Amino acid sequence: MDRIIPANVARAANFYQPNGLLHGQPEIRAADSTRTRIIGNFRSDYTASSYNCEQYPWYDRVFAKTHTQIECDADVWKRAEALIRSDLMTVTENETEP
């Protein structure tokens, strides 16, 4: 995964987990910070707990376990949704201001 976010991206958030063969970058950065805002780098750790990911094939659950678990983590999805909704509210508020 590339950790440099290209200038054609307005906003970016990084949800990652540090364990296993497939893991994310602990930090993303903007190629051009005047055009891209990094919302945050959000770490999840599944060493102490795991998620039921039965909708994924067995080989994903075995060979890419921690990567698959972050995809099944409802808290990650809720946080991503909250960030999107917050950003949409800000855009809507700015559009309605005189």
Side-chain angles (χ1 to χ4, degrees), residues 31-88:
D32 181 349
S33 61
T34 64
R35 298 183 66 192
T36 303
R37 181 170 67 99
I38 302 300
I39 297 168
N41 293 285
F42 306 104
R43 181 180 191 265
S44 296
D45 191 337
Y46 301 100
T47 54
S49 63
S50 63
Y51 289 84
N52 182 355
C53 298
E54 292 194 16
Q55 69 269 31
Y56 285 82
W58 70 268
Y59 48 84
D60 280 342
R61 295 190 317 261
V62 171
F63 297 113
K65 182 179 178 179
T66 53
H67 180 73
T68 302
Q69 286 181 332
I70 197 170
E71 293 183 24
C72 297
D73 186 344
D75 291 334
V76 169
W77 288 102
K78 287 176 190 172
R79 190 163 192 187
E81 180 181 4
L83 289 171
I84 292 167
R85 288 184 182 277
S86 173
D87 199 56
L88 288 174

